[in-house]
Structure formats: C-alpha cells, structure tokens
Amino acid sequence: MEFYPKYPRREQYDLNGMWDFTFVPDLEHPTRPDFDQFAFADQMPVPGVFDIYPDSMAARGTGFYRKIVNISTAGEVLLKLAGLGRWAAVF
C-alpha cells in the first residue's frame, strides 16, 4: 500500500560556471536597471564574489551577473540561490 503519491521528478539545471558580468559603480535605481545599457564584457565564476579580485578589490557599487537559461517546460520555476551577499535581486 502506498501512502504518498508518486510525482514525476523535476528537471534540474546546474547554473554554476562562468556568467556574463558587469560592474556599475554608480547606479541610481539598482532595482530597475536597463540592461541594454550594459556591455557585460567580463566573465565571472558563479559561485564567486566579484570584489575579491585585484581589479575590483573592495569595490563599492552594483555587480550584475547574467546567465541565459532555456527552460524546456512551461509553468512555474523554482530558483534556489545558495549564497548571496547582503542584497540581491533576480530579474
């Protein structure tokens, strides 16, 4: 006798790796950025922290990471973020 229904396993994506990155020292509205204005010319590893590298050591501002992911199923998606600094927003 089964007590719990069996559900199909959800598809999972590992997003660790190199992500497009740009750093903006002064940004008026970091919660509603216009991403078309950024070049995303750099790459950063995820997981990782941009302000530990020599070029941006102790930098203050906003770092944007970008990763384009194609999800094969329609509907809701659960995004698990395993480590963040003091503040983050997902767009």
Side-chain angles (χ1 to χ4, degrees):
M1 175 190 269
E2 292 186 27
F3 294 103
Y4 301 102
K6 292 187 177 182
Y7 295 101
R9 188 171 184 120
R10 292 181 183 159
E11 195 168 353
Q12 296 183 6
Y13 302 88
D14 183 0
L15 300 180
N16 290 347
M18 297 304 286
W19 284 46
D20 298 334
F21 178 81
T22 191
F23 178 75
V24 182
D26 299 315
L27 188 63
E28 192 172 323
H29 298 288
T31 58
R32 294 177 305 186
D34 177 10
F35 291 110
D36 292 335
Q37 71 179 340
F38 304 134
F40 286 97
D42 297 320
Q43 296 268 302
M44 280 287 168
V46 170
V49 182
F50 70 85
D51 64 352
I52 63 167
Y53 294 96
D55 291 345
S56 58
M57 185 71 68
R60 295 294 172 250
T62 303
F64 290 102
Y65 294 82
R66 177 178 69 181
K67 181 81 163 183
I68 298 172
V69 180
N70 294 314
I71 306 296
S72 62
T73 56
E76 294 181 3
V77 174
L78 174 65
L79 178 64
K80 291 184 178 181
L81 303 173
L84 297 171
R86 298 174 188 248
W87 185 87
V90 177
F91 304 95

